[in-house]
Amino acid sequence: MKRIIMLTAFVLLLSGCSNSPAATPQEIAKAYEKDFSASAMIVFGDNKAEFDVLKNGMSISISLNSPAELSGMGIEIFDEHAKITYNGMEQEIRKDSLPEGTPFLLLEELFEELSDPDDFSLSTENENLAADFGDFSAVLSAEDFSLISADFPFYETKFTFSNFEFGSTE
């Protein structure tokens, strides 16, 4: 009887220490098909910026809040284009003309990868979900899958998110 109790305790101990998340990549991908908005801070190299981001359908809009000299600049990413607006001026460019590792292209890549369940693996990290994409990673809330942070080590770029809210599916 003592062995059965010890064996049961051992099995429970092993299952309680599992690093398997309570969510699946499919559930997260479904959440990221929806529109959403958030505030974010980005640190890339020695630079730092704060912005608001809105995903609406296939379009991603970014509005810079800081640094002060860029406050009010808007960037909209759609199809193969990026539209940049600032102080009443507007310029549309092809995304492929931008340097690899441009922060808002990394952000677009993050959102695209989160909406494809075959592109990442999940584990738990301090009561949150850790998504591993190979070249970069993200931490999401286990409660509602909202982004907490994303790290692109190759580009020395890290995003931190707050006020993340999912909308509806269009």
Side-chain angles (χ1 to χ4, degrees), residues 74-161:
I75 302 162
E76 182 180 5
I77 303 166
F78 56 96
D79 298 325
E80 296 302 314
H81 297 81
K83 181 170 45 172
I84 302 166
T85 55
Y86 186 63
N87 284 337
M89 296 181 290
E90 184 176 298
Q91 179 71 41
E92 189 171 315
I93 58 175
R94 290 193 50 80
K95 288 189 310 191
D96 61 8
S97 69
L98 297 167
E100 185 179 327
T102 300
F104 57 84
L105 293 179
L106 296 177
L107 195 62
E108 179 187 40
E109 180 180 1
L110 170 65
F111 297 155
E112 285 176 357
E113 299 290 322
L114 281 168
S115 65
D116 186 344
D118 297 326
D119 286 348
F120 63 95
S121 61
L122 280 178
S123 62
T124 56
E125 181 179 290
N126 301 327
E127 298 182 19
N128 291 312
L129 300 171
D132 182 8
F133 302 92
D135 294 340
F136 64 96
S137 61
V139 177
L140 301 103
S141 164
E143 185 177 310
D144 65 0
F145 310 141
S146 61
L147 271 165
I148 296 170
S149 65
D151 188 17
F152 293 80
F154 183 78
Y155 298 107
E156 298 180 11
T157 301
K158 182 165 179 116
F159 295 91
T160 307
F161 298 89

Side-chain angles (χ1 to χ4, degrees), residues 4-24:
I4 293 174
I5 292 172
M6 287 180 59
L7 182 59
T8 303
F10 181 70
V11 169
L12 289 174
L13 180 65
L14 286 178
S15 64
C17 294
S18 173
N19 203 23
S20 298
T24 66

